[in-house]
Amino acid sequence: MSALVLLARPPAGLNLGANNQILWTIVFTLTLLTLVPAILVSMTPMVRLLVVFHFLRQALGTQTAPSNQVLMGLGLMMTWFLMQPVLVQVDQQAVEPYRQGQISGWEAIQRGAGPPKAYMLHYAREKDLALFVSASMTQRPARPEDLPMRVVVPAYILSELKAGFEIGAVLFLPFLLVDMVVASITTSIGMYQLPPVVISTPLKILLFVMVDGWNLLAGSLLKSF
């Protein structure tokens, strides 16, 4: 019985406040690591980038080249490049004051959500924001900055999907033209035994390489933000 009392009683000189802060820091870090994939997909430009990369691979006719890992790595690095100013603001407004003990964990979360929300509001369409405001049955705020994250995040995802599909459709057109030309030529000369895609795929890859397609695509995607 006395051993249990000694275990339950904190040792002399133990700083409970510091221990609680360390405990909450560990809990917050583990929770953040768990939510990192969802945050990357829903609150960053990665949605648009991956959609465009998927359209490009389908347009070229290469089902596995580049592989999913390569496209994911490229999308992740471009996302980091685009989101670096936002991450710097989060570090200055929330992470650094919390690290110095100036603010609490909950206040750090509230401050840290400001820069990502401002970024998403910049690219979210008003039509998509109005859709989720009406669906949530909340009063329309006076400023977009007063919208809750449960409205801003899905509206931002819809806007990014629309932008990605628009870029992908424009990207698909020249390769579709190559497919149509090759199919018409092979059909006119009676090459029914050889599928047109066997001829058009190398031609599309050659065309993409000759115009330095990856550089043009990356530059266009960066300029769209």
Side-chain angles (χ1 to χ4, degrees):
M1 187 67 179
S2 59
L4 293 176
V5 173
L6 289 176
L7 289 175
R9 183 181 303 169
L14 182 63
N15 191 350
L16 294 179
N19 286 345
N20 287 334
Q21 185 176 2
I22 294 174
L23 178 62
W24 281 110
T25 302
I26 295 174
V27 172
F28 176 74
T29 303
L30 293 177
T31 304
L32 184 62
L33 290 176
T34 306
L35 296 176
V36 161
I39 293 174
L40 280 175
V41 173
S42 59
M43 301 174 62
T44 66
M46 203 162 188
V47 179
R48 185 187 307 187
L49 299 177
L50 293 181
V51 169
V52 173
F53 292 156
H54 175 75
F55 271 105
L56 173 64
R57 192 166 62 179
Q58 294 295 322
L60 287 173
T62 56
Q63 301 299 324
T64 58
S67 63
N68 292 330
Q69 290 81 1
V70 173
L71 295 181
M72 185 66 71
L74 178 60
L76 184 61
M77 292 299 103
M78 291 182 66
T79 300
W80 179 43
F81 176 82
L82 291 169
M83 293 296 293
Q84 187 176 6
V86 180
L87 296 177
V88 171
Q89 293 180 6
V90 172
D91 182 71
Q92 294 176 352
Q93 298 180 13
V95 178
E96 192 60 31
Y98 176 74
R99 189 180 302 164
Q100 296 178 0
Q102 299 175 358
I103 58 177
S104 62
W106 181 250
E107 188 176 356
I109 294 175
Q110 291 178 335
R111 288 190 181 184
K117 180 189 286 189
Y119 172 83
M120 289 186 289
L121 286 173
H122 181 71
Y123 294 102
R125 298 187 306 166
E126 184 178 354
K127 183 178 180 180
D128 296 328
L129 291 171
L131 171 65
F132 286 97
V133 168
S134 62
S136 62
M137 297 182 181
T138 57
Q139 186 177 2
R140 189 184 182 98
R143 302 182 306 162
E145 291 78 10
D146 298 332
L147 289 170
M149 292 294 285
R150 65 189 181 97
V151 171
V152 176
V153 173
Y156 171 76
I157 296 176
L158 285 185
S159 302
E160 288 295 287
L161 286 175
K162 183 179 184 298
F165 271 76
E166 288 177 348
I167 299 174
V170 175
L171 185 65
F172 220 105
L173 291 178
F175 299 107
L176 180 61
L177 180 62
V178 174
D179 286 330
M180 294 175 62
V181 172
V182 171
S184 63
I185 293 176
T186 55
T187 303
S188 63
I189 63 178
M191 296 179 60
Y192 297 104
Q193 298 175 349
L194 186 64
V197 68
V198 177
I199 302 175
S200 63
T201 299
L203 293 178
K204 290 187 292 186
I205 295 175
L206 181 61
L207 175 64
F208 188 72
V209 172
M210 289 179 59
V211 300
D212 198 4
W214 285 111
N215 184 274
L216 292 176
L217 179 62
S220 300
L221 286 173
L222 292 177
K223 291 177 182 177
S224 66
F225 290 98

